[in-house]
Amino acid sequence: MPPRTDRRERAADAAIEIIAEQGLRGLTHRACDARAGLPLGSTSSCFRTRAALVGGVLERIVAQDEELLVEYPTENWTMSTPEGRENIVVTLTELMSFWLGPGRTRTLARLELFVDAARREELDDELAAANRQYLRRVTDGMVEADMGNPEEAARLLIAQMDGLFYDAIVRPHLGGGEPERLRAAIAVIIEGLAHGLARQDG
């Protein structure tokens, strides 16, 4: 039997795959055991209820994204010069290309989970924690970029990037997930934030 921490992560990873493939209707403790290759009952021993399992998956997605984000430093970000804004665009394009490519399973599960969690009072704490973590990380980047009102800039950036994710996933025939189109869209977003919020601050 694998250690409990390993079982918990394996069960959560299996749940992410199931949610991405089948939606939440396919998520059961038994299905996670089978997908993860764990003995029957392993997932339920780590997550006693379905709500606990969904909450655990939210935590796992945020943790995996955090591990990824630390690989993308923001020291060269600045909103005040074209070169600095280009650095931001390049970084965000690489991240989104990953999340829509090798990390697509996690992206699909995240979008599905966030919508579902918003309807469930018992997951309010987990959803709020996940959103705070994403907002904190992006706000830190906006601070590095010398952005006025960094938290508001971060909130708007997250909202617009989620829109790009949604467009690329539900309308793939329109090509919104292609790297060059992603880059062009992100450049528009960054220029809009830089100039729009700068005018508000002024």
Side-chain angles (χ1 to χ4, degrees), residues 66 69-70 132-142:
E66 185 70 13
L69 289 171
V70 297
R132 280 196 303 269
Q133 183 74 356
Y134 285 120
L135 182 60
R136 181 196 62 78
R137 170 60 69 175
V138 180
T139 299
D140 288 347
M142 293 293 97

Side-chain angles (χ1 to χ4, degrees), residues 7-105:
R7 276 183 289 145
R8 185 180 178 90
E9 290 184 354
R10 285 173 60 182
D13 288 342
I16 290 169
E17 294 177 6
I18 291 167
I19 293 167
E21 291 175 8
Q22 304 174 32
L24 283 159
R25 67 184 181 279
L27 183 64
T28 65
H29 291 82
R30 184 184 293 269
C32 290
D33 288 339
R35 175 64 64 96
L38 291 169
L40 192 64
S42 297
T43 300
S44 61
S45 73
C46 297
F47 306 102
R48 293 294 182 184
T49 65
R50 194 170 188 274
L53 177 57
V54 172
V57 174
L58 275 171
E59 292 175 4
R60 180 65 172 154
I61 289 173
V62 172
Q64 288 177 321
D65 283 345
E66 185 70 13
E67 290 174 5
L68 174 67
L69 289 171
V70 297
E71 299 176 11
Y72 290 85
T74 57
E75 287 85 354
N76 295 323
W77 283 22
T78 176
M79 285 288 196
S80 60
T81 68
E83 294 79 9
R85 294 193 293 275
E86 175 64 15
N87 290 333
I88 298 174
V89 170
V90 169
T91 299
L92 294 181
T93 302
E94 289 178 1
L95 279 167
M96 289 201 68
S97 294
F98 173 83
W99 278 318
L100 290 170
R104 182 182 179 86
T105 295

Side-chain angles (χ1 to χ4, degrees), residues 117-118 120-129:
R120 297 175 181 270
E121 290 184 4
E122 68 269 26
L123 292 173
D124 282 350
D125 290 344
E126 287 86 351
L127 181 60

